[in-house]
Amino acid sequence: GQLRKELIIPDDYIVIGAVGRLTKIKNLQMFLQAAKRVTEDRSDVAFIIVGDGGEHDQLAQAIIDLGIQNHAYLVGWKRDIAAVYADLDLLALTSLNEGTPAAIIEAMASGVPVIATSVGGVPDLVEDNRTGFLVPSEDVELLSKGLLELINDSKLRERLGVAARSEAVRRFSHQRLVGDIRDLYIQLLKQKGLLK
């Protein structure tokens, strides 16, 4: 895909992405610390951060400080987000807090397995060991272990990806959304006495 070409990442590499604004709350330092640990074990992996924000320079510095310049990339914001997910083998979300993260829904809909910190609305989206992996907030050790398990087991990634995709279609498809909005309107109209 496009991203792999741009960054000259070999086809057989496992690509782990983080997608979102580069802010403190996203805790992307944790993502990079896990990248360091994982690459000590496996050299055929690439970690890509997609997004813009105030933490850009700190993250660029962390990549250098951790010595992972050959494995970690800040690629800025990408308009064609579907193409980004097409290039990812895994999505990692390391936030300290979240509502309903669009990145997780997008990844699931794309059949990309998710490993995420169990914060805010995340456990409502990701079912541990069925549609993805959940790890405690700020636990670099468990994040790294979970990543390695997923990197080392393509069958597991496939199983989680398939389950995630069917769950996303069930919960977030356009038909479902349109149906929910229609039901809401009917409910509101009935409340206002404009519909029997």
Side-chain angles (χ1 to χ4, degrees):
Q2 196 54 44
L3 261 185
R4 284 178 187 251
K5 267 201 208 76
E6 269 176 45
L7 300 170
I8 321 172
I9 296 169
D11 289 341
D12 58 344
Y13 270 44
I14 304 285
V15 177
I16 298 114
V19 178
R21 292 201 48 70
L22 312 186
T23 56
K24 281 231 184 305
I25 197 94
K26 297 291 183 188
N27 198 14
L28 289 159
Q29 296 284 350
M30 177 182 176
F31 178 76
L32 294 175
Q33 286 159 4
K36 166 102 180 131
R37 293 190 185 195
V38 167
T39 52
E40 283 165 2
D41 223 77
R42 290 278 300 249
S43 60
D44 59 342
V45 288
F47 288 80
I48 298 177
I49 297 177
V50 180
D52 287 319
E55 288 276 287
H56 181 277
D57 295 352
Q58 293 93 314
L59 295 168
Q61 189 58 51
I63 288 172
I64 294 163
D65 294 345
L66 291 163
I68 52 175
Q69 301 92 314
N70 298 333
H71 294 285
Y73 308 92
L74 286 164
V75 298
W77 190 244
K78 298 287 176 202
R79 286 184 72 108
D80 189 354
I81 205 71
V84 168
Y85 289 106
D87 270 344
L88 298 185
D89 295 293
L90 292 169
L91 176 83
L93 184 127
T94 49
S95 298
L96 298 168
N97 200 5
E98 274 295 349
T100 304
I104 288 184
I105 297 171
E106 292 161 354
M108 288 175 70
S110 307
V112 174
V114 174
I115 181 166
T117 46
S118 187
V119 297
V122 172
D124 298 333
L125 297 175
V126 178
E127 191 182 330
D128 192 36
N129 252 323
R130 193 179 81 78
T131 59
F133 277 10
L134 292 174
V135 297
S137 181
E138 298 189 75
D139 195 329
V140 176
E141 182 68 32
L142 279 178
L143 176 64
S144 307
K145 276 174 72 168
L147 281 167
L148 278 167
E149 189 180 338
L150 290 161
I151 288 162
N152 292 330
D153 190 344
S154 61
K155 289 268 187 291
L156 173 63
R157 287 199 308 275
E158 195 178 337
R159 176 171 69 76
L160 295 174
V162 166
R165 187 156 199 289
S166 63
E167 182 71 4
V169 167
R170 187 178 74 74
R171 287 179 64 183
F172 305 106
S173 68
H174 294 307
Q175 292 89 335
R176 163 75 207 280
L177 194 61
V178 170
D180 284 355
I181 292 169
R182 190 197 55 223
D183 294 346
L184 176 65
Y185 274 130
I186 289 171
Q187 191 187 333
L188 292 171
L189 289 169
K190 283 180 174 165
Q191 279 171 7
K192 289 212 182 310
L194 299 170
L195 197 68
K196 289 284 176 280

